[in-house]
């Protein structure tokens, strides 16, 4: 199954249609008023990819919102 939307650890990750930048897929992660943008060589979302972003970047917001 190819996912373009995924909710993971309270964050909503999604890929907008035709959102390629320099050959990479732009992924937007939202939680409340927060928004973070990531780029990946993958065309679709998966739990492992979202977990990696959470562990490296998004965990710092765990006390907010």
């Amino acid at each position: 199954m190819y996912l373009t939307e995924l909710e993971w650890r309270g964050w909503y990750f999604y890929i907008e249609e035709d959102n390629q930048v320099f050959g990479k897929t732009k992924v937007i992660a939202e939680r409340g008023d927060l928004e973070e943008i990531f780029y990946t060589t993958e065309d679709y979302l998966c739990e492992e990819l979202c977990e990696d972003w959470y562990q490296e970047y998004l965990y710092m917001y765990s006390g907010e919102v």
Side-chain angles (χ1 to χ4, degrees):
M1 176 166 47
Y2 300 114
L3 298 174
T4 57
E5 300 178 0
L6 182 63
E7 190 166 333
W8 188 255
R9 290 191 179 237
W11 287 85
Y12 175 64
F13 295 84
Y14 64 96
I15 298 171
E16 295 176 338
E17 288 185 34
D18 301 322
N19 209 349
Q20 290 277 327
V21 177
F22 300 112
K24 293 190 176 185
T25 302
K26 181 179 177 181
V27 177
I28 301 165
E30 294 180 343
R31 180 178 174 197
D33 292 337
L34 301 172
E35 179 180 280
E36 292 289 337
I37 297 174
F38 301 99
Y39 295 92
T40 181
T41 55
E42 303 295 327
D43 292 329
Y44 301 100
L45 295 172
C46 67
E47 292 175 352
E48 181 179 13
L49 190 59
C50 294
E51 179 65 16
D52 288 346
W53 285 324
Y54 180 83
Q55 290 294 329
E56 289 198 36
Y57 307 105
L58 302 174
Y59 71 92
M60 69 181 126
Y61 297 115
S62 62
E64 296 184 12
V65 179

